[in-house]
Amino acid sequence: MTDVLILGGTGWLSGRIARLWADDGAAVTCLARGERPEPPGVTLVRGDRDRSDAYDRLARDWDHVVDVSSRADHVAAVVAALGARARRWTYISSVSVYADDATPGADESAPVHEAAAPGDEYDYAAEKVAAEQQVRALGDRALIVRPGLIVGDGDPSDRFGYWAAAFARAGSDRVLLPPLEGRATQVIDVDDLAAYVVTASSAGVSGAVNAIGDRHPLRDVLLCIRNAAGHCGETVVGEAGWLADHGVAYWAGERSLPLWLPADMTGFMTRSNAAFHRTGGVLRPIDDTIARVVADEIARGVDRERRAGLTREDERALLAELL
Ligand SMILES: NC(=O)c1ccc[n+]([C@@H]2O[C@H](COP(=O)([O-])OP(=O)(O)OC[C@H]3O[C@@H](n4cnc5c(N)ncnc54)[C@H](OP(=O)(O)O)[C@@H]3O)[C@@H](O)[C@H]2O)c1
């Protein structure tokens, strides 16, 4: 039986990887503090990676180790503790490692940010770069998966799902959009990503691979979400300067228009996914993802508190000022 250790395994993505591998017949062990339930059929070992003894109970041979940590010190410690005991090692990094967000179509050879050094103030991208360096020391046993924006039902970041909720809650009322001209978007369905991690690790793929979907004009994706959500009202575009003056942020977080990027970030959502396809990655049609996200947002409540986007009240106030 294939023996798999997931460092994590109770999170949104890592939980799906754990479940998929368990459904596939592997013996799956997860290491987590246990703040969230483990998927069915998976053994949870409770441990805190802030502690130096975190890996003691896991000191045996593994066919596959998968790590989702965004802390370089955690990654360094586990590579030191278990690196010699693993046949294959997969690290979930991010396209945030890339230093250049302007050049469209860049592949995995593009320059990355400087790696975090011990004692530096926490910076997600720098930590991911430093963590990748630790994993690369394992040579061709290591696969580094660099996802772009991960989307799907249950997304804890609330970014992509904002648009499903915004169109669904508006019904026949107006919806505020960001500038769409020249804007692209590129996402990966969480289940396609989990499937890729399992199949690429099992196939012995090594090196770094961008795990992202195909590029779509942002306009087309929002229109597809609008249709799926049954919106029949008007859409109103706010200009970039006007939105900035009114405290509306790009991309993510409170009082933002998610997925909207500054005009000069033309390379951020337009990266090459050739290696992903070449190494067995499969993408479902984006309409399938959108249908699932719309159903999930409606089930969770379109007016729920969110980590990203505008509240309905803020959106109405902005529209009233704009028109
Ligand atoms: N969302 C995106 O669009 C996006 C884009 C690019 C890359 N990524 C990457 O994709 C991955 C997402 O994975 P995910 O959804 O599974 O992440 P997650 O929801 O943050 O889960 C993290 C896992 O690690 C465990 N964990 C956290 N701190 C720990 C500690 N101190 N000791 C032991 N276990 C600990 C958590 O369990 P406990 O809390 O119970 O300990 C959980 O199982 C990350 O690597 C992220 O950087 C995300």
Side-chain angles (χ1 to χ4, degrees):
M1 194 183 254
T2 308
D3 242 333
V4 178
L5 171 63
I6 315 271
L7 301 157
T10 60
W12 185 48
L13 170 65
S14 57
R16 291 183 190 228
I17 297 170
R19 183 169 195 157
L20 208 54
W21 233 318
D23 288 350
D24 223 29
V28 180
T29 303
C30 296
L31 174 72
R33 291 163 300 183
E35 288 169 9
R36 290 170 270 185
E38 71 275 21
V42 162
T43 303
L44 174 67
V45 172
R46 283 173 209 275
D48 186 344
R49 299 180 71 179
D50 281 338
R51 292 174 53 110
S52 58
D53 61 357
Y55 310 108
D56 289 0
R57 281 177 297 154
L58 303 168
R60 61 183 177 85
D61 292 342
W62 298 97
D63 292 308
H64 295 277
V65 173
V66 178
D67 193 357
V68 297
S69 177
S70 302
R71 290 257 310 265
D73 59 340
H74 285 178
V75 174
V78 75
V79 168
L82 301 179
R85 317 273 322 242
R87 198 166 57 77
R88 302 275 322 156
W89 198 285
T90 300
Y91 176 59
I92 311 300
S93 182
S94 167
V95 294
S96 296
V97 295
Y98 294 117
D100 174 1
D101 289 326
T103 310
D107 68 12
E108 291 78 359
S109 64
V112 298
H113 288 287
E114 214 170 290
D120 283 1
E121 198 177 315
Y122 184 84
D123 176 87
Y124 175 74
E127 293 286 328
K128 285 292 200 193
V129 174
E132 285 194 3
Q133 288 177 355
Q134 297 295 330
V135 174
R136 277 183 194 281
L138 299 171
D140 60 10
R141 286 184 292 142
L143 167 64
I144 292 168
V145 178
R146 293 176 175 160
L149 182 67
I150 307 171
V151 303
D153 51 295
D155 175 5
S157 82
D158 288 338
R159 288 172 284 191
F160 193 77
Y162 168 75
W163 291 108
F167 285 120
R169 73 189 180 188
S172 55
D173 282 351
R174 297 183 172 103
V175 169
L176 178 63
L177 300 183
L180 300 171
E181 205 46 52
R183 262 46 174 226
T185 200
Q186 192 176 33
V187 300
I188 182 149
D189 189 291
V190 63
D191 287 323
D192 292 343
L193 177 56
Y196 177 74
V197 169
V198 173
T199 55
S201 304
S202 304
V205 176
S206 55
V209 178
N210 292 338
I212 41 177
D214 296 325
R215 295 171 230 176
H216 298 279
L218 180 57
R219 184 192 304 278
D220 293 1
V221 172
L222 294 189
L223 181 63
C224 187
I225 298 175
R226 177 175 182 259
N227 290 339
H231 178 247
C232 56
E234 203 186 329
T235 53
V236 179
V237 172
E239 291 312 319
W242 187 91
L243 290 169
D245 289 347
H246 289 77
V248 179
Y250 293 105
W251 184 241
E254 271 179 45
R255 204 175 164 81
S256 66
L257 286 176
L259 275 59
W260 172 45
L261 290 169
D264 59 354
M265 285 184 71
T266 40
F268 189 72
M269 299 280 265
T270 57
R271 298 198 183 278
S272 167
N273 62 4
F276 174 80
H277 285 300
R278 205 169 50 239
T279 53
V282 177
L283 299 170
R284 73 196 58 208
I286 195 158
D287 306 31
D288 290 5
T289 303
I290 287 172
R292 231 172 60 241
V293 169
V294 168
D296 177 53
E297 290 292 343
I298 290 170
R300 287 203 276 164
V302 292
D303 285 313
R304 72 184 164 88
E305 226 175 273
R306 316 182 57 87
R307 297 179 72 184
L310 299 173
T311 63
R312 183 67 180 132
E313 200 186 353
D314 282 348
E315 186 189 29
R316 281 206 177 106
L318 287 161
L319 283 164
E321 235 190 279
L322 189 59
L323 292 168

